[in-house]
Amino acid sequence: MVSALGTAAALGGCGSDSGSEDVTLRLVAADYGSSKGDSSQKYWDDLVGRYEKEHPGVRVDVSVYSWEDVDAKVREMVDAGEAPDMAQIGAYADYAAKGLLYPASEVLSIPVQADFLPQLADAGTVNRLQYGLPFAASTRVLVYNKSLFADAGIDSAPSTWKDLAEDAAALKDAGVETPYALPLGPEEAQAEALQWLLSGGSGYIDDVGSYDLDSEQNVKTLTWLKDELVDKGLTGPTAPAELNRAEAAAAFARGEVGMTSAHPALLRAAAEKGVELGTATMPGESGRSATTLGVADWMMAFKENGHRKEIGSFLDFVYDEENVLAFSRAYDVLPVTTSASEAMGDDEADAALAPFLQRLPESRFYPVGKVSWAAVSAAVKQRIGEAVAPGGNPVKVLQQLQEVALEADSAA
């Protein structure tokens, strides 16, 4: 790929909204690190230092906040009339719907915009215009503890729901406390739930983009989970509605979990604890699932300060192949551009990420282009675990969530 630095002149509408004086851009970004030593601030400081050397008329101030705080911080700035020039956070649709963002075509050079993976570019659209610029991605696959599988006499990963239930039962008989970790707690229940709903052939929306949470397939999927895994004691001592993703991942890394659905970051955590894991496509009802969950975080450019040209120049640099690869490798996420994805796929040093990278073209993402998604996601986080609880009713829970979704969609 030609470096984005050489294509700045191809910006859609090259005229700057700002004057000729020096410009300071403000970027608010999320922290992907697990400690101060590997904070994303380190990545941004290096990238900004290199950019400013090439662009002496532009300074970039980057403020990094934890995922718990970053969305609220940006919201606070916007509400105060002090929007940053750019924000790298979890959702963009609300700001786009209010007319606060530049579309991608007004800030990015054509080669950079065209380099986004198509399914990610599509997920960044509102009313057919791309406002969300994918920044980092991940997919989910089934991971399993090879040692626990061997001890239970299991010689391959499950390919169907029936296989998974049988393997979970064998793991339980072998003394594994949590045969399958099912994190439907409020931290990220919307992810685990969607992974399963996709494996059942449905999801949160239908083929035309309308909410369809109470579809026949979704009811069937959650009913199977409740009857064949949860009620049979195959999901461990913590109720799924109370189990968060981070806790499930930590338990897997300690060697206490037979199987779970996971993103790439678990690879490093398990390796550090000496747990040898295997990966496989998520099982489906009658064969391996044709689709998997894809998750993306987003970059967006605010109009408020009128720094369109400078924002575009900086973002072209951010999305240069080597910078995308550097961030992806540092924080165990997947590249969002075709050029960086191909480079990662060809590099043997990235072989551990191959199972996740290979699933990216088949991924389905949250309906983040819907302004209503934030409210629907919050409701799913709080309620979906009830569907598989003792005495839970999948039909009732999904119908209630569908009502929430339709009301939120109507309000938006």
Side-chain angles (χ1 to χ4, degrees):
M1 174 188 175
V2 176
S3 171
L5 296 178
T7 60
L11 281 168
C14 284
S16 174
D17 295 336
S18 59
S20 59
E21 298 178 357
D22 288 356
V23 168
T24 296
L25 300 177
R26 291 185 300 163
L27 166 63
V28 175
D31 194 353
Y32 288 74
S34 58
S35 65
K36 186 176 181 179
D38 68 345
S39 169
S40 299
Q41 189 73 56
K42 182 178 179 181
Y43 171 83
W44 286 113
D45 288 348
D46 172 73
L47 183 143
V48 167
R50 289 184 286 112
Y51 176 79
E52 290 179 346
K53 286 182 179 179
E54 298 291 332
H55 301 80
V58 182
R59 293 189 65 254
V60 185
D61 288 341
V62 183
S63 299
V64 173
Y65 296 90
S66 71
W67 274 108
E68 288 76 13
D69 299 327
V70 68
D71 288 284
K73 182 62 179 178
V74 173
R75 177 76 59 186
E76 175 186 312
M77 296 172 71
V78 172
D79 289 347
E82 300 174 351
D85 295 284
M86 296 161 287
Q88 186 271 298
I89 52 178
Y92 66 86
D94 189 27
Y95 299 123
K98 293 176 180 177
L100 302 179
L101 303 180
Y102 289 115
S105 60
E106 292 187 14
V107 289
L108 296 179
S109 64
I110 292 172
V112 171
Q113 189 178 356
D115 197 28
F116 287 129
L117 292 165
Q119 66 272 34
L120 287 169
D122 289 344
T125 61
V126 175
N127 296 326
R128 298 186 178 87
L129 278 179
Q130 184 183 356
Y131 292 94
L133 315 180
F135 180 74
S138 69
T139 58
R140 303 296 167 92
V141 301
L142 183 77
V143 297
Y144 59 96
N145 184 310
K146 288 186 174 182
S147 177
L148 296 181
F149 263 48
D151 291 344
I154 307 168
D155 57 12
S156 62
S159 60
T160 66
W161 289 353
K162 182 175 182 290
D163 294 340
L164 188 145
E166 291 175 350
D167 290 348
L171 288 163
K172 183 179 180 181
D173 290 343
V176 177
E177 187 175 46
T178 304
Y180 183 88
L182 183 66
L184 295 177
E187 177 194 5
E188 205 181 33
Q190 84 283 5
E192 181 73 12
L194 183 53
Q195 178 80 316
W196 278 99
L197 299 183
L198 290 172
S199 77
S202 189
Y204 292 140
I205 58 174
D206 60 21
D207 291 339
V208 296
S210 300
Y211 285 114
D212 196 23
L213 280 87
D214 59 348
S215 68
E216 181 180 345
Q217 299 100 308
N218 287 347
V219 169
K220 186 175 184 179
T221 298
L222 291 189
T223 299
W224 184 89
L225 274 176
K226 181 181 186 304
D227 292 348
E228 301 301 326
L229 289 187
V230 182
D231 287 354
K232 292 184 178 180
L234 301 177
T235 54
T238 303
E242 299 173 5
L243 181 64
N244 284 324
R245 177 190 56 80
E247 296 162 0
F252 186 94
R254 293 194 300 267
E256 300 169 1
V257 173
M259 299 175 278
T260 194
S261 167
H263 55 57
L266 184 57
L267 299 180
R268 184 177 300 186
E272 289 174 351
K273 297 286 187 179
V275 172
E276 187 179 4
L277 60 76
T279 62
T281 301
M282 193 71 181
E285 183 178 8
S286 57
R288 298 198 185 281
S289 178
T291 57
T292 191
L293 168 66
V295 178
D297 301 322
W298 302 94
M299 178 75 77
M300 61 213 69
F302 285 89
K303 294 179 177 179
E304 184 170 311
N305 302 310
H307 295 151
R308 178 170 59 88
K309 180 180 178 181
E310 293 81 8
I311 290 171
S313 172
F314 178 67
L315 289 179
D316 273 4
F317 187 77
V318 168
Y319 286 105
D320 179 77
E321 179 183 318
E322 291 304 316
N323 291 330
V324 173
L325 281 170
F327 188 88
S328 300
R329 288 165 173 160
Y331 297 105
D332 297 317
V333 294
L334 301 181
V336 296
T337 62
T338 299
S339 58
S341 293
E342 290 175 350
M344 179 174 279
D346 292 338
D347 195 328
E348 292 185 4
D350 297 312
L353 290 174
F356 300 90
L357 193 63
Q358 290 164 1
R359 298 294 285 165
L360 195 54
E362 305 160 2
S363 298
R364 291 271 295 275
F365 294 83
Y366 303 130
V368 290
K370 287 178 170 288
V371 176
S372 56
W373 170 242
V376 176
S377 176
V380 170
K381 288 179 182 180
Q382 294 298 321
R383 298 293 310 280
I384 199 73
E386 298 173 10
V388 300
N393 186 328
V395 174
K396 182 178 179 181
V397 170
L398 288 172
Q399 287 176 342
Q400 291 172 340
L401 288 172
Q402 177 70 3
E403 291 175 3
V404 169
L406 294 178
E407 290 176 4
D409 218 21
S410 178

